[in-house]
Amino acid sequence: MNTSDTKATLSFSDGSPSLEFPIYKGTVGPDVIDIRKLYAGSGKFTYDPGFMSTAACNSSITYIDGDKGELLYRGYPIEQLAVNADFMESCYLLLNGELPNAAQKAKFVDTVTKHTMVHEQMQFFFRGFRRDAHPMSVLVGTVGALASFYHDSLDINDPRHREVSAIRLIAKMPTLVAMTYKYSVGQPFVYPRNDLSYSANFMHMMFANPCEEYKVNDVLVRALDRILILHADHEQNASTSTVRLAGSSGANPFACIAAGIACLWGPAHGGANEAALNMLKEIGTVENIPAFIAQVKDKNSGVKLMGFGHRVYKNFDPRAKLMRETCYEVLQELGLQDDPLFKLAMELEKIALNDEYFVSRKLYPNVDFYSGIVQSALGIPVSLFTGIFAMARTIGWIAQWNEMIADPEQKIGRPRQLFVGSTTREVLPLDKR
């Protein structure tokens, strides 16, 4: 951070003395007013529900410009990474700050690959869950439980321990997600294979079984890899902030990632692609779209167009265009262009892109609209969509957690409040209340 030449002066109408605060400049983005001494100088807090105007940390990992529709990982546009790099290269970038050369990538991939197996006793852990348990509840439990099996790398102040934990989390998340799916459908767990790529290995663990070997389809593997890249990190969102807040207490990385998974489980955050696909199923057929659109436009109906628009991106989601291309590639590869559900999705997309109501409100299809369609085409059940999201976002969480631990300015998270309850009062004896 660089201190600005200008200062921010806060004046009070209640007679309190004015205060001056330094202004910091990032490499890009809005300037930040450092208000850390506000309470000491004035006895007052700021009030910012949802942290709409608050920077809780400084970070060099991900940058978003919602007005421009720009997403950068370590300075690289997401559009270039999704086309010219794979997920393992993106993981290396987010962790280390630079894209790997050939030798660095080979070593990194080899290290991750050799950590994909989970402890054999994890199989017994799964038996404690009901078969119909939601995959996210299973992942919260199993990821958090990794600390019980890998307690040789829990010293968060040791850079080597943090590195080992990061590799273990990146490597084992696909295995746990696949095990969660297999357990839910009553099939035996499939062990990871060291001769397959990260995304191909995941699909193999998901869809292979002892009776039939899974045949890797490069188009489908690349589609999954792109989903992982596009969801790998997204600045200080709710789940990432949760990971940082949990980590600020000194909690181990497995507990912090489990906390992130729990937050991502919320339908307002990680469940958007699941909600978008459920919306399509509720619409049912192309013929029902006009009536559905009319309901969306009726403010009193409570019906929302899921998978369109974005809180951060005011014009368009840069990930959506890439996911749209992938969506059409997958449907073409699998011969699903005429599938009723996918025809419905494409017709809804066309109407929303051309209807003045949605265009004027900039409600363009976002990445969740297309990723849900792609995952469904790949054979991934709707209930596991957010689990795939968690698998992708693990690298972002662990990179953000690692950055926070190494930041000398970081303190345990402790938001304050505007108290609106009762003032001090006495507890009367029972017979006098």
Side-chain angles (χ1 to χ4, degrees):
M1 296 185 296
N2 296 315
T3 306
S4 171
D5 294 332
T6 58
K7 305 287 184 181
T9 301
L10 179 61
S11 300
F12 300 92
S13 60
D14 62 359
S16 300
S18 297
L19 296 174
E20 193 173 80
F21 302 102
I23 297 178
Y24 290 111
K25 286 185 172 293
T27 49
V28 288
D31 295 345
V32 175
I33 303 170
D34 183 351
I35 60 166
R36 280 177 286 186
K37 295 182 179 180
L38 173 64
Y39 180 64
S42 68
K44 298 177 176 64
F45 299 136
T46 57
Y47 186 62
D48 186 19
F51 309 107
M52 299 295 290
S53 299
T54 299
C57 64
N58 67 78
S59 179
S60 61
I61 298 173
T62 305
Y63 174 73
I64 297 171
D65 188 321
D67 294 325
K68 291 181 180 178
E70 182 178 62
L71 171 60
L72 308 176
Y73 289 176
R74 301 284 192 180
Y76 292 103
I78 191 64
E79 300 92 326
Q80 296 180 26
L81 284 170
V83 173
N84 299 316
D86 61 22
F87 184 60
M88 283 288 92
E89 291 172 88
S90 300
C91 286
Y92 186 97
L93 170 67
L94 289 171
L95 276 178
N96 300 293
E98 299 292 342
L99 284 167
N101 59 33
Q104 290 169 330
K105 179 184 177 181
K107 181 180 179 181
F108 181 73
V109 170
D110 182 66
T111 303
V112 170
T113 300
K114 289 179 178 176
H115 281 83
T116 51
M117 287 187 64
V118 297
H119 197 288
E120 192 69 6
Q121 285 184 271
M122 287 294 290
Q123 292 196 32
F124 305 111
F125 199 94
F126 273 87
R127 295 178 187 177
F129 296 102
R130 284 175 46 135
R131 293 276 181 180
D132 60 353
H134 194 284
M136 292 298 280
S137 68
V138 177
L139 287 173
V140 168
T142 53
V143 172
L146 289 176
S148 302
F149 294 94
Y150 305 107
H151 43 72
D152 60 336
S153 60
L154 298 184
D155 183 356
I156 65 171
N157 296 310
D158 186 328
R160 176 58 182 163
H161 280 215
R162 297 202 301 269
E163 180 183 355
V164 171
S165 293
I167 294 296
R168 282 174 168 164
L169 280 160
I170 297 166
K172 297 180 193 304
M173 272 299 291
T175 308
L176 291 175
V177 173
M179 290 176 75
T180 299
Y181 169 68
K182 287 297 193 185
Y183 184 76
S184 71
V185 295
Q187 292 184 8
F189 298 131
V190 176
Y191 289 97
R193 275 178 38 179
N194 289 354
D195 62 326
L196 295 175
S197 70
Y198 189 88
S199 295
N201 189 38
F202 172 71
M203 295 185 72
H204 173 264
M205 290 189 291
M206 280 282 291
F207 302 121
N209 64 68
C211 302
E212 184 177 357
E213 183 62 22
Y214 176 74
K215 296 179 181 178
V216 175
N217 182 313
D218 291 339
V219 174
L220 306 188
V221 168
R222 179 58 184 165
L224 177 64
D225 208 66
R226 181 166 287 186
I227 288 174
L228 300 182
I229 293 171
L230 297 179
H231 290 85
D233 198 48
H234 212 237
E235 211 223 50
Q236 305 307 316
N237 53 80
S239 58
T240 298
S241 297
T242 298
V243 170
R244 279 183 173 264
L245 190 61
S248 73
S249 73
N252 72 75
F254 302 107
C256 294
I257 300 308
I261 294 170
C263 182
L264 191 68
W265 190 1
H269 187 12
N273 50 15
E274 182 176 345
L277 203 71
N278 287 334
M279 174 194 70
L280 293 174
K281 291 180 178 179
E282 289 174 7
I283 296 173
T285 65
V286 172
E287 290 73 24
N288 294 333
I289 290 179
F292 172 76
I293 293 294
Q295 286 183 304
V296 171
K297 294 178 180 180
D298 181 359
K299 295 180 180 179
N300 298 318
S301 71
V303 177
K304 295 182 178 181
L305 186 62
M306 306 305 297
F308 289 75
H310 197 280
R311 177 180 177 181
V312 174
Y313 299 112
K314 305 306 179 186
N315 284 307
F316 63 94
D317 183 341
R319 303 166 298 172
K321 179 177 182 292
L322 297 159
M323 204 67 251
R324 183 178 188 272
E325 294 173 0
T326 299
C327 180
Y328 279 84
E329 288 173 5
V330 168
L331 298 184
Q332 180 70 34
E333 177 69 16
L334 296 176
L336 293 173
Q337 306 94 314
D338 295 325
D339 181 273
L341 180 66
F342 301 126
K343 287 184 72 174
L344 169 64
M346 297 305 104
E347 184 62 25
L348 183 61
E349 172 203 46
K350 184 168 67 175
I351 291 174
L353 288 174
N354 291 282
D355 190 307
E356 180 58 28
Y357 178 88
F358 300 109
V359 173
S360 64
R361 289 165 174 76
K362 299 179 180 178
L363 292 175
Y364 304 115
N366 60 37
V367 67
D368 297 307
F369 179 75
Y370 297 110
S371 67
I373 298 170
V374 172
Q375 289 184 67
S376 181
L378 295 179
I380 296 169
V382 175
S383 62
L384 198 62
F385 283 5
T386 314
I388 304 297
F389 195 160
M391 184 173 80
R393 187 56 58 85
T394 292
I395 176 56
W397 288 333
I398 203 68
Q400 296 270 354
W401 171 84
N402 198 39
E403 180 183 65
M404 179 206 67
I405 297 297
D407 184 356
E409 290 193 330
Q410 184 60 43
K411 301 179 183 298
I412 184 171
R414 182 59 171 87
R416 306 308 295 262
Q417 64 179 13
L418 174 64
F419 182 70
V420 295
S422 298
T423 55
T424 303
R425 49 185 176 171
E426 294 183 4
V427 178
L428 298 175
L430 184 62
D431 60 349
K432 294 183 178 181
R433 295 176 200 166

